Amino acid sequence: MVLGTSSGVGKSLVTAGLCRLLRRRGEQPVPFKGQNMSLNGYVDEDGGEMAYAQAMQAWAAGLTPCAAMNPVLLKPQGDGSSEVIHLGRSAGVSRAEDYYRDWFRPGWLAIRRGLDVCRKQQGRLVLEGAGSPVEVNLQARDLTNLRLAQFLRARCVLVADIERGGVFAQIIGTLQLLRPVERSLMAGLLINRFRGQRSLFDEGRVWLEQRTGLPVLGVLPWLGERFPPEDSLDLLERQARKPRAELRLAVLRLPSISNFSDMDPLAAEATVQLDWLLPTDTVDQYDAVLLPGSKQTMADLKAMQAARMDERLQRYVAAGGAVLAICGGLQMLGQRLHDPRGLEAETPGDMGGLGLLPLVTTFEPGKVQRQWTATTTWPQPGQPCTGFELHHGRTTAPIHGAQSLYTQPGLGWVSPCGRVVGTYLHGCLEAGPWRRHWLNRLRSRRGLPPLPTAVPHHAAQRDRLLDRLADALAEDVNLEPLLHESSCPHPQPLSRFPCAGMMGIPYPLRWAPPG
């Protein structure tokens, strides 16, 4: 199990790298995260919804992603509540203050069922924790960290991010808040995102090992490329500058932005500078503006209107600008959005859209969750695009004025001028030829030569990044304490950690719901 001293320390990446490395060694790793909170989603082959991070870990392990690998998914809605997804399907909505009271037992049951499915893979479970495992006010009902580690007797590695600073306090503080039974599961420490000469950390490594009695399994370097973050708060950190970029594209960072990994193929283009903008920013200087998915489409549209981004976008398009919108962004492009049952807000209602495509969206109960292999009609007919739908709302084009983007109706539309494009297909930009054809239209307007269009699917580049991550783990990390139970250290006496066991957090080693 990969635990972290806090959110954002690199647990997802380390877990993915471990999966790829174990796969290389001839094992079958099986990734599993009992509970995740993320708006970066994926839909499996059976239409089950899961976090994108666990899909990425499945690809690293050579497996087809399955919602059982992430049996509990929480999707924040921006009002102190979250949609609760159990085993790929929406189970309801919970306010934060009610979650641990109302959803603990159903959540643990979903986790047990997910484990049953994953165990059928006949491999080694590689578990990822969530946030910090020692949030003492929540620890008694934490579903996915120490309870799960104890239930499975997992050998745990604690990851700390040295880039954030305070790495010694992160580690010592976390270990001090563990109970002895939890402390006995700790197999080692891992320092992540180290910059510079690693010998400079030798003294710190020795100090940690002497102070904790745990081995520092490795010091991972800063790898440069970043995988999709779990939290949209990390998006601004991903704005790598490309001095030689020929196109500048803007992505609107909406308040409830979702599925921001859709933009990764563009960020990976060497000739593209991708900037994440707030609704208050200007867009006139960009070659195209991208509207990503949204968990709360109407609320995000209202935020754009309050910042007058809607007016700026309309002027931008009228002046010749290009817009590409995905899912919730597509819904915003239309003329009207209807919410007759109050699914998007507390009360029923409707509102005007951006008016950039002649579309009408009506929000209805039930969520569309399915994978697609669609065939494009524009800009190059006959191009295959694979991806998935994940949305509330049905969109129609009741009047003429927009061409279907695919031979399959209802998936996407493009304006007659070809400068405004909207699609429901998450992952459409991963199709190399289609992405390059769209970029070449932008390049032509700038007088730039076209890029080659015979390029592979973005999955090939994702695989190279996973290989690079596995290479770093193989070179810099000693995995033996994780792979062999006899290598696990003995628990330190409680006196070494005077805060351990504070608050008298009571829960049994192996707990199961009634029945």
Side-chain angles (χ1 to χ4, degrees):
M1 184 175 220
V2 179
L3 297 170
T5 55
S6 72
S7 298
V9 299
K11 295 186 296 293
S12 295
L13 284 180
V14 170
T15 305
L18 285 172
C19 286
R20 176 55 57 95
L21 189 55
L22 290 170
R23 181 69 172 169
R24 284 182 184 176
R25 293 185 172 196
E27 290 199 37
Q28 180 54 74
V30 182
F32 187 86
K33 183 164 183 172
Q35 177 177 289
N36 203 340
M37 176 176 280
S38 178
L39 289 178
N40 212 26
Y42 182 78
V43 172
D44 70 11
E45 290 183 347
D46 295 325
E49 188 174 357
M50 61 188 294
Y52 184 88
Q54 277 61 68
M56 179 184 69
Q57 291 161 3
W59 294 320
L63 296 174
T64 300
C66 170
M69 297 171 179
N70 173 211
V72 180
L73 175 62
L74 304 179
K75 304 187 73 174
Q77 299 188 153
D79 59 352
S81 68
S82 293
E83 182 185 13
V84 182
I85 311 292
H86 281 177
L87 295 168
R89 304 296 172 184
S90 182
V93 174
S94 175
R95 294 197 63 79
E97 60 267 26
D98 301 328
Y99 180 71
Y100 290 100
R101 181 194 68 204
D102 298 339
W103 292 91
F104 176 79
R105 288 178 179 270
W108 182 249
L109 183 59
I111 288 171
R112 293 284 300 274
R113 288 173 174 169
L115 282 171
D116 289 343
V117 173
C118 289
R119 281 169 166 159
K120 293 178 182 178
Q121 297 285 348
Q122 297 296 317
R124 185 194 293 269
L125 281 172
V126 183
L127 308 156
E128 181 189 346
S132 163
V134 289
E135 302 291 354
V136 293
N137 57 317
L138 304 176
Q139 202 168 346
R141 287 183 170 260
D142 184 349
L143 285 168
T144 193
N145 285 304
L146 297 170
R147 180 182 300 274
L148 190 56
Q150 289 183 73
F151 179 76
L152 296 170
R153 300 302 298 171
R155 293 180 288 286
C156 300
V157 56
L158 181 64
V159 179
D161 180 6
I162 198 169
E163 175 75 9
R164 296 178 175 223
V167 69
F168 301 102
Q170 292 176 42
I171 292 170
I172 298 299
T174 299
L175 293 176
Q176 283 187 328
L177 293 174
L178 295 174
R179 300 191 314 163
V181 68
E182 299 159 347
R183 180 68 170 76
S184 68
L185 301 174
M186 306 306 296
L189 310 172
L190 181 60
I191 309 300
N192 194 24
R193 295 179 184 144
F194 187 86
R195 294 179 186 259
Q197 187 176 341
R198 266 173 285 183
S199 62
L200 296 175
F201 192 70
D202 287 348
E203 186 177 348
R205 184 174 193 151
V206 171
W207 186 91
L208 281 171
E209 290 182 340
Q210 292 177 344
R211 183 64 176 259
T212 67
L214 291 173
V216 176
L217 303 181
V219 181
L220 279 175
W222 178 270
L223 295 178
E225 288 103 333
R226 295 285 301 277
F227 283 92
E230 291 288 285
D231 193 334
S232 62
L233 295 174
D234 294 333
L235 288 173
L236 296 181
E237 297 180 11
R238 305 173 68 214
Q239 296 196 107
R241 309 315 300 177
K242 298 179 183 176
R244 298 184 181 180
E246 297 170 317
L247 293 177
R248 294 186 67 195
L249 308 185
V251 187
L252 291 189
R253 186 174 167 234
L254 304 169
S256 297
I257 185 174
S258 65
N259 287 87
F260 28 84
S261 55
D262 284 337
M263 305 302 162
D264 279 6
L266 290 174
E269 289 277 359
T271 64
V272 171
Q273 172 66 51
L274 196 67
D275 292 339
W276 296 84
L277 303 187
L278 296 173
T280 52
D281 293 329
T282 59
V283 298
D284 295 343
Q285 69 272 35
Y286 289 95
D287 296 293
V289 176
L290 296 110
L291 295 179
S294 167
K295 175 60 177 168
Q296 297 288 299
T297 301
M298 293 178 73
D300 279 356
L301 182 56
K302 289 177 182 177
M304 290 174 60
Q305 292 170 343
R308 299 201 168 180
M309 175 57 80
D310 58 332
E311 299 174 11
R312 291 197 294 278
L313 274 178
Q314 290 159 356
R315 290 195 299 267
Y316 170 79
V317 172
V323 174
L324 172 62
I326 301 176
C327 198
L330 159 68
Q331 295 170 345
M332 296 180 197
L333 289 182
Q335 301 287 344
R336 301 294 301 177
L337 292 87
H338 299 292
D339 186 17
R341 295 175 176 84
L343 300 176
E344 284 274 311
E346 293 182 358
T347 57
D350 64 277
M351 64 184 299
L354 297 172
L356 299 178
L357 283 176
L359 308 176
V360 174
T361 295
T362 302
F363 294 98
E364 302 170 350
K367 191 186 298 187
V368 180
Q369 300 175 206
R370 58 190 172 193
Q371 291 190 0
W372 274 99
T373 297
T375 305
T376 63
T377 63
W378 178 97
Q380 184 72 19
Q383 295 290 333
C385 276
T386 58
F388 60 91
E389 285 185 88
L390 179 59
H391 60 89
H392 285 284
R394 273 63 172 177
T395 300
T396 59
I399 60 174
H400 295 293
Q403 172 189 341
S404 179
L405 187 58
Y406 309 102
T407 55
Q408 295 85 349
L411 269 181
W413 293 266
V414 57
S415 64
C417 65
R419 288 186 288 105
V420 180
V421 182
T423 176
Y424 267 128
L425 199 62
H426 292 289
C428 63
L429 289 166
E430 295 194 0
W434 190 88
R435 181 179 71 251
R436 284 290 180 87
H437 279 295
W438 180 72
L439 288 173
N440 283 340
R441 289 180 64 89
L442 302 179
R443 293 175 65 86
S444 176
R445 292 174 54 205
R446 291 277 306 274
L448 296 168
L451 297 171
T453 57
V455 291
H457 194 272
H458 182 67
Q461 179 155 4
R462 183 173 58 227
D463 260 2
R464 287 194 294 272
L465 290 175
L466 287 166
D467 282 335
R468 183 182 176 191
L469 186 58
D471 290 341
L473 283 166
E475 180 179 352
D476 299 311
V477 179
N478 174 23
L479 295 180
E480 294 310 306
L482 292 179
L483 301 183
H484 303 293
E485 189 167 2
S486 60
S487 302
C488 281
H490 295 293
Q492 296 295 323
L494 184 59
S495 59
R496 286 282 304 268
F497 301 93
C499 295
M502 68 183 295
M503 298 183 67
I505 295 169
Y507 56 85
L509 181 60
R510 292 183 179 270
W511 178 91

